[in-house]
Amino acid sequence: MKALGICGSARHAGNTALLIETVLDGARSSGMETETVFLNELDIGPCTGCRSCKGKTEECATADDFAGLIDKVREADLIVIGSPIYMGQVTGQTKTFLDRMYSLRRADRTIRLDGTKKKGAMVVVCGSSDPSHPDGTRRTLGVFFRYLNTPDVVELVEQGLGSEGEVLGRTEAIARAREAGQNLAGGLSPAAR
Ligand SMILES: Cc1cc2nc3c(=O)[nH]c(=O)nc-3n(C[C@H](O)[C@H](O)[C@H](O)COP(=O)(O)O)c2cc1C
């Protein structure tokens, strides 16, 4: 079984990347294969709102790395998506990717990808300590899982973080992330593809 990490931070040794990697480490310890993609390394352009995906072809008309990433999403049994909060929301590269997820929804509002047997986790990190600050970002990443029809999603939110790798000093957060990966992997049967 496969676990896929999708990182919306360009800092590959940053707090988001480290928490995603820790969840995947837990999943590996339960026997899963893992892979992480960094959105800043992919060529994924913005949705143009052309609605080709709602027409006859049901395909996104923009040819770039989005389709390949969706193939990986389709193959994955566990998906861990993470973003730092930038200006009160997910990062630009995360939002650009999420907008393209619109192509997975048909004109009749059904979803083209059956992720009902997949498991999910979201990672949100930010500088602010205000407990309500991550709410909008959590909702936005929740829409990603709605577009996959994935019901079981664990939320890992760490606040008050700034410098790269700072989260490694938080023993409890790291333990929670690893345990989440183990538990999510443990609750999986092979996903319907
Ligand atoms: C351009 C930019 C905008 C940011 N905006 C916010 C913000 O609106 N709210 C917040 O709490 N933190 C904000 N931060 C802080 C980051 O969320 C924080 O440093 C986080 O740990 C970075 O994650 P990373 O280590 O995974 O890259 C911002 C950081 C940058 C670089």
Side-chain angles (χ1 to χ4, degrees):
M1 289 203 289
K2 292 182 186 168
L4 175 68
I6 302 174
C7 184
S9 172
R11 296 205 295 188
H12 294 196
N15 300 305
T16 310
L18 288 167
L19 281 175
I20 290 173
E21 188 48 36
T22 307
V23 177
L24 295 183
D25 187 45
R28 271 194 299 275
S29 75
S30 296
M32 296 191 88
E33 279 174 45
T34 68
E35 177 185 0
T36 300
V37 295
F38 288 90
L39 293 174
N40 76 310
E41 289 185 331
L42 299 182
D43 171 26
I44 296 182
C47 174
T48 61
C50 72
R51 293 183 65 88
S52 293
C53 57
K54 309 291 176 271
K56 276 188 192 146
T57 66
E58 292 199 339
E59 295 289 334
C60 179
T62 303
D64 58 16
D65 290 339
F66 176 76
L69 179 50
I70 289 304
D71 285 344
K72 288 181 192 285
V73 167
R74 198 183 301 278
E75 287 294 311
D77 304 277
L78 166 62
I79 299 161
V80 185
I81 187 165
S83 177
I85 298 182
Y86 276 12
M87 308 311 283
Q89 251 301 341
V90 294
T91 59
Q93 50 270 54
T94 308
K95 184 62 166 53
T96 301
F97 165 61
L98 294 178
D99 286 355
R100 296 282 297 283
M101 291 291 294
Y102 187 64
S103 61
L104 264 57
R105 192 167 84 165
R106 299 188 187 94
D108 67 2
R109 294 175 177 260
T110 56
I111 305 287
R112 288 201 284 127
L113 199 158
D114 179 8
T116 49
K117 296 202 175 120
K118 297 182 192 294
K119 300 270 182 200
M122 71 170 76
V123 168
V124 177
V125 307
C126 67
S128 166
S129 299
D130 175 348
S132 67
H133 192 67
D135 289 354
T137 303
R138 288 171 43 229
R139 256 198 311 278
T140 300
L141 292 178
V143 174
F144 168 74
F145 288 108
R146 279 223 310 276
Y147 272 70
L148 296 179
N149 273 324
T150 298
D152 289 335
V153 180
V154 169
E155 296 188 10
L156 296 161
V157 180
E158 282 301 313
Q159 300 190 240
L161 290 169
S163 53
E164 202 169 33
E166 199 180 336
V167 74
L168 287 178
R170 297 189 179 182
T171 318
E172 282 180 20
I174 296 297
R176 260 197 310 275
R178 195 166 193 283
E179 198 182 320
Q182 278 171 331
N183 291 343
L184 286 163
L188 273 165
S189 52
R193 288 179 183 144

